[in-house]
């Protein structure tokens, strides 16, 4: 394997770990960016796509195939797939000897194997979480651990704060990894293979849903934990919440529409000012 300096990579991700993308673009060569339309979190793919295109890096929204993977490693000189907040499993050809893949995962593995590790950590009222850099394998979140970075969860932090802290730590880990790639790769530690660490499921709808019986503080805490996974039912249709603010004035109606995507929503001690994610469709429609 060639030295880390000037390594050719394929990058998979969104704006969450934008600092890592910028590092690879500056210090290495990105052959392509694979991304997706991310509308569940505050961070989408807007900035990373903009910067990739400005640098002439091809942007792909489609799935990568095993044939594509072989082409990158066998024909185009790729030496690393780097995955940072991406929503699809990658093919891992077992007979491709020079294949190397790294993933950034939002928990301290082996704890927190999940597609929703931050929201699940908030659901569990954890005081600490972190981001783990691990090898990509055919089994989700179970590759050998290369490095990790701890993040304290304080009562005033929301999921966006945690993502931003993750990005700080991830860039540090990536720079350290790439300074001496082969040595760091060889020091990876295998995760336990027992069932002590179960998969964390998406928080249940009962925890994600705002109701009229809530107080202002309960509603704010729900949105703090789950951000744009938070949902509300208006009539017989459910919506995801883009933004939430609060007021203490009494609202006579349960729901008062200001416009299609903005409502005042009555709670026990005041009202919520909600901006709805109308373009995502109703709950269960996307």
């Amino acid at each position: 394997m060639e030295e880390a300096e000037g390594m050719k990579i394929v990058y998979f991700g969104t704006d969450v770990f934008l600092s890592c993308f910028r590092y690879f673009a500056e210090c290495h060569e990105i052959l392509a960016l694979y991304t997706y339309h991310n509308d569940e979190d505050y961070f989408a793919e807007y900035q990373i796509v903009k910067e990739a295109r400005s640098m002439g890096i091809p942007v792909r929204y489609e799935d990568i195939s095993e044939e594509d993977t072989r082409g990158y490693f066998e024909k185009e000189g790729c030496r690393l797939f780097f995955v940072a907040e991406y929503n699809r499993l990658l093919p891992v050809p077992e007979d491709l000897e020079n294949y190397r893949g790294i993933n950034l995962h939002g928990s301290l593995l082996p704890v927190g194997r999940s597609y929703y590790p931050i929201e699940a950590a908030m659901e569990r009222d954890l005081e600490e979480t972190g981001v783990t850099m691990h090898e990509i394998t055919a089994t989700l979140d179970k590759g050998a651990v290369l490095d990790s970075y701890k993040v304290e969860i304080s009562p005033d932090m929301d999921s966006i704060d945690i993502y931003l802290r993750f990005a700080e730590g991830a860039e540090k880990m990536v720079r350290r990894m790439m300074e001496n790639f082969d040595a760091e790769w060889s020091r990876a530690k295998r995760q336990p293979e027992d069932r002590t660490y179960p998969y964390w499921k998406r928080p249940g709808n009962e925890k994600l849903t705002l109701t009229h019986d809530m107080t202002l503080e309960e509603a704010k805490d729900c949105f703090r934990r789950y951000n744009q996974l938070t949902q509300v039912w208006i009539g017989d249709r459910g919506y995801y919440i883009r933004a939430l603010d609060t007021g203490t004035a009494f609202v006579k109606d349960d729901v008062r529409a200001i416009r299609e995507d903005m409502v005042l929503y009555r709670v026990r001690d005041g009202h919520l000012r909600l901006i709805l994610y109308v373009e995502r469709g109703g709950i269960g429609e996307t």
Side-chain angles (χ1 to χ4, degrees), residues 1-9 28-29 77-80 181-182:
M1 184 167 185
E2 68 185 36
E3 295 298 321
E5 183 178 356
M7 183 182 289
K8 293 181 178 181
I9 77 159
H28 301 275
E29 180 182 352
C78 178
R79 290 295 178 266
L80 179 67
F181 186 91
D182 288 335

Side-chain angles (χ1 to χ4, degrees), residues 28-207:
H28 301 275
E29 180 182 352
I30 300 178
L31 297 175
L33 165 67
Y34 283 77
T35 190
Y36 67 103
H37 296 297
N38 179 19
D39 60 6
E40 284 192 346
D41 297 310
Y42 184 84
F43 299 98
E45 83 282 11
Y46 173 79
Q47 189 63 33
I48 197 170
V49 167
K50 181 180 178 181
E51 294 188 17
R53 287 176 172 161
S54 73
M55 292 181 282
I57 297 171
V59 177
R60 315 289 191 202
Y61 280 91
E62 67 273 17
D63 292 350
I64 188 170
S65 67
E66 182 172 326
E67 181 181 0
D68 294 330
T69 298
R70 293 183 184 279
Y72 280 122
F73 281 91
E74 295 176 344
K75 299 177 181 178
E76 298 192 41
C78 178
R79 290 295 178 266
L80 179 67
F81 276 8
F82 189 84
V83 180
E85 194 66 17
Y86 189 62
N87 71 338
R88 300 164 198 170
L89 289 172
L90 305 188
V92 183
E94 295 182 359
D95 62 333
L96 194 58
E97 294 183 0
N98 63 336
Y99 177 89
R100 296 289 186 275
I102 289 176
N103 179 56
L104 293 176
H105 180 74
S107 77
L108 296 173
L109 292 175
V111 176
R113 293 169 178 150
S114 175
Y115 185 70
Y116 299 93
I118 295 178
E119 292 81 5
M122 302 287 270
E123 177 186 24
R124 288 161 173 75
D125 291 319
L126 299 187
E127 296 181 354
E128 181 182 76
T129 184
V131 57
T132 300
M133 187 164 62
H134 67 91
E135 296 178 10
I136 295 174
T137 62
T139 306
L140 185 67
D141 299 338
K142 290 191 177 182
V145 173
L146 294 158
D147 205 349
S148 61
Y149 181 86
K150 293 182 179 180
V151 171
E152 178 184 351
I153 303 177
S154 58
D156 61 337
M157 290 173 63
D158 63 8
S159 60
I160 298 170
D161 290 319
I162 296 174
Y163 273 127
L164 291 170
R165 299 285 176 85
F166 280 3
E168 294 175 5
E171 183 183 359
K172 293 177 182 178
M173 291 192 297
V174 166
R175 289 182 178 273
R176 184 162 56 240
M177 176 82 195
M178 300 307 290
E179 284 179 0
N180 194 352
F181 186 91
D182 288 335
E184 294 296 328
W185 186 270
S186 67
R187 283 196 283 267
K189 297 180 180 179
R190 295 181 62 182
Q191 295 188 50
E193 297 183 1
D194 58 37
R195 299 183 179 180
T196 307
Y197 305 99
Y199 187 87
W200 285 358
K201 297 180 180 179
R202 185 180 190 269
N205 285 337
E206 70 281 359
K207 294 189 176 182

